[in-house]
Amino acid sequence: MKRPYNFSAGPAVMPAEVLQQAAAEMLDWHGSGMSVMEMSHRGKEFISIYERAEADLRELLAVPAHFRILFMQGGGLAENAIVPLNLSGGGVVDFVVTGSWSQKSIKEARRFCDARLAASNEADHHTSLPDPASWRLSADARYVHLCTNETIHGIEFHELPDLKALGCEAPLVIDFSSHVASRPVDWSRVGLAFGGAQKNLGPAGVTLVVVREDLIGHAMPHCPSAFDYRVVADNHSMYNTPPTYAIYMAGLTFQWLKQQGGIAAMEQRNIAKASLLYDYIDGSQFYLNKVTPDCRSRMNVPFLLRDESRNEDFLAGAKSQGLLQLKGHKSVGGMRASIYNAMPLEGVQALVAYMREFERTQS
Ligand SMILES: *Cc1c(COP(=O)(O)O)cnc(C)c1O
């Protein structure tokens, strides 16, 4: 069966091999007589799944030994509260607002700490990134928050800021939900990274948190125990029942990523996919992407038809060609093609071929 190409922003396309393996193991995982969904999270079968997933992720993302990997619940949005509850002590936190997701983060954090706006790109409608040299960082900030890939606006930090070089000793917290595992991470510049799995790691239901050891153990007294990084880390993410099936699926995805050659190989493919699409859009008189070229996202590519009255025709035609979920987010309009790790180059080629043909038949 040839499956359509799915450009959803999330929950998003998964590798077909992973779905096939999960289907084959659905009723009986490795001769255990159980589906992974039916296993105790404390049994040796699930523990082996969990330990392999964690080890594979640590290897893939080259997570240093002084960082802990936590599998939590509540998604990126819950982390908008959980991070300040654990790291802020109710004090000052600096936010760099670059789009909808970091906007949500500062709004939620205001409930728990003195959240300050260090920089924003709102004036240019979230189409470029504010230069780190211009950020107004607070001397007493407990941490600095940024979203390294704004899924809705399609803008990405291609290099993490070096806060120390900016005279700031506070740790950097990044929301990397929508580009985790698409490129290597420079952990020397990061204190904590979080992301929901449903963009690039697996199905919804599990949230990845990678946190430097020294940032654990400072939760505010009213932080719920299940969200206290000390409690979660000490219990190996099993203080409460973890989302076992989602962790298993993410684990299969990590194995698939290793078979693909790891994160550096994925990055090269992601560069090739994104370049193909952006180059076509830039060369066309029919389509338009408004993001400054040096910060365009490799994962989420928003684009407009210059004649917006043709949007519905474009989407209907795409669907009939097996190109799914291309409608843009309502706050930006137009189209959005999310081209995560599991989207093959052939999918982007098919999209560009369709766009070219649509342009030809319309003019
Ligand atoms: C999708 C997304 C979120 C929200 O994740 P939930 O799992 O829905 O809470 C947060 N940040 C970014 C960058 C996202 O792409």
Side-chain angles (χ1 to χ4, degrees):
M1 179 185 79
K2 186 178 179 308
R3 301 180 84 218
Y5 294 114
N6 180 352
F7 296 91
S8 172
V13 59
M14 301 257 308
E17 296 90 333
V18 167
L19 296 175
Q20 272 155 357
Q21 186 175 345
E25 295 177 348
M26 178 60 75
L27 295 185
D28 180 7
W29 183 82
H30 294 205
S32 67
M34 297 180 277
S35 166
V36 174
M37 279 181 246
E38 303 172 305
M39 291 173 182
S40 165
H41 58 296
R42 312 241 178 246
K44 68 176 187 338
E45 294 88 354
F46 185 73
I47 299 281
S48 74
I49 291 171
Y50 180 92
E51 286 178 347
R52 173 144 190 214
E54 183 184 335
D56 282 346
L57 181 68
R58 189 176 284 279
E59 181 186 332
L60 277 166
L61 292 185
V63 177
H66 63 296
F67 281 75
R68 294 294 297 265
I69 293 176
L70 312 178
F71 293 103
M72 298 182 69
Q73 292 174 77
L77 288 188
E79 292 302 323
N80 284 342
I82 296 169
V83 175
L85 279 166
N86 277 275
L87 265 56
S88 78
V92 173
V93 178
D94 285 333
F95 284 80
V96 178
V97 170
T98 50
S100 302
W101 291 111
S102 42
Q103 189 68 55
K104 279 198 202 320
S105 299
I106 187 172
K107 189 165 172 243
E108 181 74 357
R110 286 199 177 104
R111 306 173 60 201
F112 307 101
C113 62
D114 181 1
R116 298 193 185 158
L117 185 65
S120 164
N121 63 357
E122 209 169 343
D124 68 15
H125 308 286
H126 309 301
T127 57
S128 68
L129 289 174
D131 180 358
S134 72
W135 298 356
R136 295 175 306 274
L137 299 172
S138 311
D140 51 350
R142 304 296 180 95
Y143 65 91
V144 178
H145 174 111
L146 53 105
C147 174
T148 44
N149 186 63
E150 288 280 2
T151 321
I152 292 174
H153 292 90
I155 92 175
E156 179 172 8
F157 281 86
H158 290 297
E159 191 186 359
L160 292 177
D162 182 356
L163 294 185
K164 278 207 181 64
L166 298 170
C168 171
E169 291 299 322
L172 179 68
V173 170
I174 61 171
D175 173 357
F176 67 168
S177 295
S178 52
H179 72 164
V180 54
S182 72
R183 58 191 303 149
V185 176
D186 180 353
W187 294 105
S188 72
R189 296 187 174 182
V190 175
L192 182 148
F194 69 83
Q198 72 272 22
K199 314 293 169 51
N200 219 5
L201 298 181
V206 60
T207 317
L208 172 67
V209 176
V210 183
V211 53
R212 222 171 58 203
E213 193 82 59
D214 63 291
L215 299 176
I216 297 176
H218 310 287
M220 291 199 271
H222 57 289
C223 177
S225 307
F227 293 153
D228 180 336
Y229 293 142
R230 176 84 279 152
V231 175
V232 179
D234 285 351
N235 288 281
H236 301 278
S237 303
M238 298 206 198
Y239 171 70
N240 67 319
T241 312
T244 51
Y245 200 77
I247 290 172
Y248 158 73
M249 291 296 285
L252 294 184
T253 307
F254 303 155
Q255 291 171 29
W256 179 83
L257 285 167
K258 286 173 71 175
Q259 285 157 15
Q260 301 300 305
I263 301 301
M266 288 323 294
E267 180 180 39
Q268 290 313 311
R269 275 179 230 174
N270 289 325
I271 290 171
K273 286 171 351 190
S275 309
L276 175 65
L277 186 49
Y278 284 118
D279 287 349
Y280 173 67
I281 293 169
D282 287 345
S284 146
Q285 296 301 311
F286 196 80
Y287 305 98
L288 174 68
N289 171 282
K290 292 185 176 173
V291 177
T292 310
D294 67 359
C295 58
R296 286 175 170 175
S297 170
R298 292 175 188 158
M299 295 284 101
N300 311 99
V301 183
F303 61 92
L304 300 171
L305 273 57
R306 288 181 195 262
D307 177 358
E308 297 241 272
S309 71
R310 301 184 188 186
N311 284 358
E312 290 310 316
D313 290 344
F314 179 88
L315 288 167
K319 192 171 177 197
S320 75
Q321 300 287 312
L323 305 168
L324 306 183
Q325 308 204 71
L326 281 163
K327 192 175 167 65
H329 190 272
K330 59 184 181 305
S331 64
V332 176
M335 311 299 153
R336 173 173 49 170
S338 294
I339 49 176
Y340 297 118
N341 283 340
M343 172 62 63
L345 178 64
E346 294 73 37
V348 181
Q349 288 168 337
L351 174 61
V352 168
Y354 168 70
M355 289 168 73
R356 188 175 281 125
E357 181 62 11
F358 187 80
E359 173 171 2
R360 191 185 65 75
T361 56
Q362 299 290 307
S363 44

